[in-house]
Amino acid sequence: MLKVKMHKAGNGDCVSIETLSEFVLIDGGTAQSFDGWKEQIIGHVSKIDSVIVTHIDNDHINGVIKLLTHPNCPSVDSIFFNGAEQLFGHISTEDIDARTDVKLQALSEESSEVGDKDPIGYSEGTSLSYVIFDKGYTCNDVVDGEALYREKCAQFEIGSLKFNVIGPDLSALLELKKIWKEKLEERNIRPKILSKSYYDAFEQFTSTIQEKSPDNYQISSTEK
C-alpha cells in the first residue's frame, strides 16, 4: 500500500507519504493551513518516520513548526533540513557579546530591507533549528547531522521508501559559505559562538542571494 496525500497548505506544499509501515511528511504549508490538516495526523498517526523540510519559505516551514511544537505531536524519528546549524555547527546556549550581537542584528535588518521578506521564513528557519535542538530530534542523520547535498548523499532511504537528492550541490554550498564569510569580514564581525542572531542574520542574508540566483543558492535538500 502506498498513499500519497496533498494536504491543503495555502500557497505552499504539504505532502504525506504513507505505506503499511512508514509515514513521511514533506513540508507543512503555512501556519494557517496547519489547522486544516493537523487532524489527519495528530490522533491518527502514532509515529512519523521522517519530516522533510525542503526550504525555509513561510508556506513550507511554518506548518512543520506548528506540528513539532503541538503538545500531541506524534513521535518523530528523524528530520531532514538544511539550516544554518547544518552548515556551520551546533547552536550555542552561551550569551554572545553585545557588540557582535548588535552588528549581526544590523546586518539582519539590512538584508530584510533588500527585497520582499514575506515569502522567506527567516526567523522561522532559526525557530525550526531551535525546535530541533530543544526537542533532541535527529536531523540529517544520513550525513551525521551535517548539510545534505547531492555529492555527499545522492539517495537515502526511509524504511522501504527511497528518496533522490536533487539539490543543492557542493559547489553552491561552498560558494554560499564563501559569500557569507566575506560579508562578515566586511562588517568586521567575528563571532566566537553561533547564536540566534547569527542564524537570523545568515538566513536573512541568504534570501538576497536567492533573489539574485535562486537556482544556485537554495539551501534545500530536495529542490534545485
Side-chain angles (χ1 to χ4, degrees):
M1 184 270 288
L2 176 64
K3 184 187 298 183
V4 179
K5 183 177 291 186
M6 304 284 291
H7 302 277
K8 291 183 178 180
N11 295 324
D13 291 326
C14 180
V15 180
S16 62
I17 302 174
E18 185 176 6
T19 70
L20 291 175
S21 55
E22 294 95 17
F23 187 93
V24 175
L25 182 70
I26 303 175
D27 291 333
T30 63
Q32 293 77 14
S33 72
F34 174 72
D35 289 333
W37 58 261
K38 67 180 181 182
E39 293 182 358
Q40 300 175 52
I41 294 179
I42 295 175
H44 293 276
V45 176
S46 60
K47 183 187 72 169
I48 299 175
D49 291 273
S50 189
V51 175
I52 299 174
V53 181
T54 61
H55 56 293
I56 62 171
D57 284 9
N58 284 327
D59 52 9
H60 289 250
I61 195 173
N62 279 349
V64 171
I65 295 173
K66 295 273 283 187
L67 172 66
L68 297 180
T69 56
H70 193 282
N72 297 320
C73 177
S75 64
V76 178
D77 279 358
S78 67
I79 295 176
F80 289 88
F81 170 59
N82 275 356
E85 181 176 5
Q86 285 65 50
L87 290 172
F88 299 108
H90 294 298
I91 298 171
S92 174
T93 56
E94 300 177 26
D95 292 330
I96 193 171
D97 67 275
R99 180 174 296 182
T100 298
D101 194 53
V102 169
K103 289 181 178 180
L104 286 169
Q105 289 182 21
L107 177 56
S108 180
E109 291 173 3
E110 175 189 305
S111 298
S112 71
E113 295 171 356
V114 170
D116 179 8
K117 66 179 181 179
D118 290 334
I120 309 296
Y122 315 111
S123 60
E124 287 83 355
T126 303
S127 295
L128 178 57
S129 292
Y130 269 75
V131 169
I132 292 171
F133 177 80
D134 288 339
K135 293 186 175 295
Y137 288 127
T138 299
C139 186
N140 292 1
D141 58 336
V142 296
V143 289
D144 298 323
E146 298 180 354
L148 181 65
Y149 53 89
R150 192 166 58 229
E151 293 89 343
K152 190 166 189 176
C153 179
Q155 185 181 85
F156 60 88
E157 298 180 2
I158 301 173
S160 63
L161 299 171
K162 294 183 179 181
F163 293 83
N164 292 320
V165 177
I166 300 173
D169 59 32
L170 178 59
S171 62
L173 290 183
L174 291 177
E175 181 68 11
L176 177 60
K177 293 175 74 172
K178 175 178 176 289
I179 294 171
W180 173 240
K181 182 179 179 181
E182 290 172 349
K183 176 59 68 172
L184 293 180
E185 291 177 348
E186 174 188 310
R187 297 302 181 86
N188 196 28
I189 301 175
R190 297 182 177 86
K192 296 180 180 179
I193 63 174
L194 300 183
S195 66
K196 185 177 186 298
S197 296
Y198 183 96
Y199 279 30
D200 279 339
F202 169 72
E203 290 179 349
Q204 294 235 33
F205 179 73
T206 298
S207 71
T208 67
I209 304 299
Q210 288 179 330
E211 289 172 2
K212 293 177 182 177
S213 185
D215 290 337
N216 292 334
Y217 296 103
Q218 288 256 9
I219 55 170
S220 160
S221 60
T222 59
E223 289 199 354
K224 286 185 178 179

